[in-house]
Amino acid sequence: MSPRRGLLDAFSVNRLLALLVAAFVVTAGSAMLMTSTTFDEIMFLAIGARGFHSADFSLAPEHPRLAQYFYGLPVYLSHIAYPAEEALPPGWTVYNYARALLWGVGNNPERLVMLARLVALAFGALTVTATFFGARRHMGAGAALFAAALVAFLPDMLAHSGIAYNDIPLVFAMVASVYVLDAAARRPAPARVALAALASALTACVKFSGLVVVPILIVLLALEALSGRWRDPIWRRAIVVATPVYLAVFYATIALVYLGDWGLTGFSAGVPKFVSAVRTTYAYAFLLGEIYGGGKWSFFPVALALKTPIALHVFMLVAAVGVWVASRGGRWRGWMAHGARAPAVGAALFMAALVTSNFNLGVRHALPMLPLICIPVAQ
């Protein structure tokens, strides 16, 4: 193939990716215009704007800061009016404050919600793009485009990319993080390790469930060691050097996101509140015609099976058969180092976290798994 032909092929792939992202933005954006405000999304834009206005972001400690920054900043820059907090009802909550800010002090609620939703839409587009470039590390351009297309046209991605909540930013952060972590596990140079720590900390600062990136990194390191790298003394020494680099950057990133909270008091206080909310707030759930107390491990597997398209299930079945055929007679160490191990490990550990929790509510909480599933399916 001539260099000119290769350049044209790359140009065509980039144009197809741009067309795919544009189709996603138009489809999700048009749906966004027809969706009423949800119960939770008004919280982030309101308390984020309040935080920029008053320098106090402590109103919802069970949610990390980044989502408040993302959604609050465009609202704050709109020079809005803020409710007098002393006039709110006794024992007021973040929801009372959000309702007062949107509908009680003369602001234009539709404009403010749409400003925040544009941020979610941007993260949805970034997720489609990150899916392509992550997949492209270990598969051909056609397969990577197919993976991105699966993500772009999943109904859940289209629906939730028009909602100003922290789910879609977490999806993007997870896709980006698993590949950055995998690159650091394969070649733990200080710069790569620092980037992995940065990605890990930012993911955790989007949503506390993003802390699953830490066990993901541990499993990726274990797989790399089992693939034969443990016999390499250079790799072992690099891991020893990389560990303090990772911890230092992880710590510094969280402290800076929390505006110089070097004791990590805000972050560390939010984690147990998040865990408590997950385990106790939603004491009752509904599944397959039954209302029950506590959690069932089967909730998210059943919900995903019922709420994702049958076409994706067929593709997953075909992919599983393909993996079985390809692995026959193969060397297990080669599979340990396979390029698709990062999304596969990410999806498996995120599902493990879901099924072991009592949080039986909303398939949107499983959204970070979907691109991680689509990538190996496409391959």
Side-chain angles (χ1 to χ4, degrees), residues 180 183-184 187-198 242 245 249:
V180 173
R187 189 161 68 86
R192 287 192 174 198
V193 172
L195 182 60
L198 177 66
V245 173
V249 175

Side-chain angles (χ1 to χ4, degrees), residues 136 231 342:
R136 192 69 182 88
R231 295 192 296 269

Side-chain angles (χ1 to χ4, degrees), residues 98-335:
R99 286 193 290 268
L101 185 142
L102 285 170
W103 293 286
V105 290
N107 294 318
N108 183 335
E110 290 192 2
R111 178 172 176 270
L112 298 185
V113 169
M114 287 304 159
L115 282 174
R117 285 182 171 183
L118 287 174
V119 176
L121 186 61
F123 274 106
L126 285 172
T127 301
V128 175
T129 306
T131 299
F132 171 80
F133 285 108
R136 192 69 182 88
R137 293 174 60 90
H138 54 89
M139 64 175 78
L145 280 171
F146 182 52
L150 286 176
V151 174
F153 296 114
L154 280 174
D156 286 293
M157 280 295 300
L158 290 168
H160 290 286
S161 293
I163 302 297
Y165 206 62
N166 55 5
D167 296 299
I168 293 299
L170 180 64
V171 176
F172 166 71
M174 286 292 298
V175 173
S177 290
V178 295
Y179 279 104
V180 173
L181 292 170
D182 191 51
R186 293 176 188 272
R187 189 161 68 86
R192 287 192 174 198
V193 172
L195 182 60
L198 177 66
S200 300
L202 292 178
T203 302
C205 287
V206 170
K207 194 173 182 179
F208 284 121
S209 54
L211 284 168
V212 73
V213 294
V214 176
I216 288 173
L217 174 59
I218 293 171
V219 172
L220 290 173
L221 286 170
L223 291 177
E224 187 69 12
L226 290 171
S227 71
R229 294 298 297 282
W230 185 252
R231 295 192 296 269
D232 181 358
I234 297 176
W235 185 82
R236 294 200 307 268
R237 286 196 297 270
I239 293 297
V240 172
V241 173
T243 301
V245 173
Y246 181 90
L247 294 175
V249 175
F250 188 88
Y251 161 76
T253 301
I254 294 177
L256 290 173
V257 167
Y258 276 73
L259 306 178
D261 180 10
W262 299 105
L264 301 188
T265 54
F267 184 84
S268 58
V271 173
K273 291 182 180 295
F274 169 77
V275 172
S276 175
V278 166
R279 293 193 172 277
T280 62
T281 302
Y282 305 99
Y284 291 94
F286 176 83
L287 180 68
L288 299 178
E290 178 190 358
I291 297 176
Y292 59 93
K296 288 186 177 182
W297 72 266
S298 59
F299 178 88
F300 280 104
V302 171
L304 284 170
L306 294 175
K307 290 197 169 189
T308 50
I310 191 66
L312 180 62
H313 303 169
V314 173
F315 287 145
M316 291 170 65
L317 179 62
V318 172
V321 173
V323 169
W324 179 76
V325 171
S327 63
R328 294 175 67 186
R331 297 180 58 197
W332 65 270
R333 290 188 188 278
W335 285 97

